[in-house]
């Protein structure tokens, strides 16, 4: 690129690698000063546990749509980017979840335990307070009442983590805890989600006058 004046930038990454400006190498995180004039800038990054990514911070040289990526074997292509990662400390391999707490809307005694129902299907980690203590608490989670009550075939069944009082995140609307009474247990769901704006909506279909088809 051609620089009219001197400028500076820094590259941040969770990957292993370096920044190459013309023939000089710089480590990630170090401020690089270059220009004026024509300079060639490339970033070399590798990562075993996830796709490598970089965040380039500067007034002139920065993360934008102009960068290309290649793997040393194929021709360069436009580098991918995300509008949800806008700070140097973020890692695209780690989603940052928002959280919302849901309490059960219905509780009933079933079999030898308690069945809890939430208002909707959730992707959540259940947090359970065991007021009785003394025995491990096992919870059976399901998207239907029948699934949660089927202790033999229930796919999501867990014993609580003794340190956090939570079970792993899973799909849940109903939760069944056997061997406990309602007054012995406190249950809430920690719903974890990516706060992406909703851009779709359902529209009621109807038939126009004299029409043989439905329109949506």
């Amino acid at each position: 690129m051609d620089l009219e004046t001197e400028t500076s930038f820094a590259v941040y990454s969770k990957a292993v690698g370096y920044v190459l400006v013309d023939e000089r190498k710089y480590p990630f995180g170090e401020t690089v000063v270059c220009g004026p004039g024509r300079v060639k800038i490339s970033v070399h990054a590798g990562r075993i546990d996830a796709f490598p990514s970089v965040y380039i911070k500067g007034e002139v040289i920065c993360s934008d749509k102009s960068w290309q990526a290649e793997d040393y074997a194929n021709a360069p292509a436009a580098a991918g980017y995300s509008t949800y990662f806008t700070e140097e400390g973020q890692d695209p391999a780690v989603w940052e979840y928002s959280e919302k707490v849901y309490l059960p809307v219905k509780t009933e005694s079933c079999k030898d335990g308690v069945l809890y129902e939430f208002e909707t299907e959730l992707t959540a980690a259940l947090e359970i307070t065991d007021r009785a203590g003394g025995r491990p608490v096992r919870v059976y989670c399901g998207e239907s009442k029948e699934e949660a009550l089927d202790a033999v075939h229930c796919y999501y069944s867990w014993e609580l983590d003794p340190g956090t009082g939570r079970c792993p995140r899973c799909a849940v609307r109903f939760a069944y805890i056997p061997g406990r009474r309602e007054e012995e247990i406190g249950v809430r769901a920690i719903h974890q989600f990516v706060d992406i704006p909703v851009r779709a909506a359902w529209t009621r279909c109807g038939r126009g006058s004299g029409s043989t088809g439905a329109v949506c």
Side-chain angles (χ1 to χ4, degrees):
M1 66 186 309
D2 292 310
L3 299 173
E4 295 182 359
T5 60
E6 181 181 278
T7 190
S8 62
F9 69 98
V11 178
Y12 300 90
S13 180
K14 302 296 183 181
V16 176
Y18 57 90
V19 183
L20 187 64
V21 179
D22 292 328
E23 299 299 323
R24 182 175 176 180
K25 292 182 179 180
Y26 297 86
F28 291 150
E30 181 175 312
T31 298
V32 179
V33 179
C34 57
R38 186 170 185 81
V39 295
K40 181 179 180 180
I41 302 170
S42 59
V43 179
H44 301 256
R47 187 169 177 179
I48 295 176
D49 61 327
F51 285 111
S53 60
V54 299
Y55 181 87
I56 304 171
K57 186 175 183 179
E59 292 186 4
V60 178
I61 302 169
C62 58
S63 293
D64 58 23
K65 299 179 182 179
S66 67
W67 292 86
Q68 292 187 310
E70 54 103 356
D71 61 356
Y72 306 111
N74 298 291
Y81 69 96
S82 172
T83 57
Y84 295 101
F85 296 91
T86 57
E87 298 178 7
E88 61 263 29
Q90 290 179 290
D91 183 358
V94 179
W95 279 102
E96 298 177 357
Y97 290 100
S98 298
E99 290 191 350
K100 183 178 180 179
V101 176
Y102 285 83
L103 297 177
V105 295
K106 184 178 179 181
T107 304
E108 61 179 302
S109 298
C110 285
K111 297 182 178 181
D112 65 337
V114 186
L115 180 71
Y116 299 87
E117 180 182 352
F118 296 94
E119 63 182 77
T120 187
E121 292 81 5
L122 301 169
T123 301
L126 294 186
E127 186 174 87
I128 299 174
T129 303
D130 181 15
R131 303 186 184 99
R135 292 174 293 162
V137 176
R138 190 166 191 88
V139 57
Y140 296 83
C141 302
E143 295 175 89
S144 68
K145 178 177 179 179
E146 293 75 17
E147 183 182 3
L149 290 173
D150 188 347
V152 176
H153 300 100
C154 181
Y155 187 76
Y156 294 122
S157 64
W158 328 90
E159 281 194 2
L160 300 183
D161 183 304
T164 64
R166 292 188 180 187
C167 66
R169 186 173 66 247
C170 66
V172 58
R173 181 172 183 176
F174 294 86
Y176 173 59
I177 301 177
R180 290 293 197 278
R181 297 189 302 272
E182 183 179 345
E183 61 269 19
E184 297 176 335
I185 291 289
V187 177
R188 65 179 194 162
I190 313 300
H191 176 46
Q192 297 175 311
F193 61 97
V194 179
D195 195 9
I196 298 176
V198 176
R199 296 190 176 131
W202 290 101
T203 302
R204 175 178 290 184
C205 296
R207 293 181 181 275
S209 176
S211 172
T212 58
V215 293
C216 297

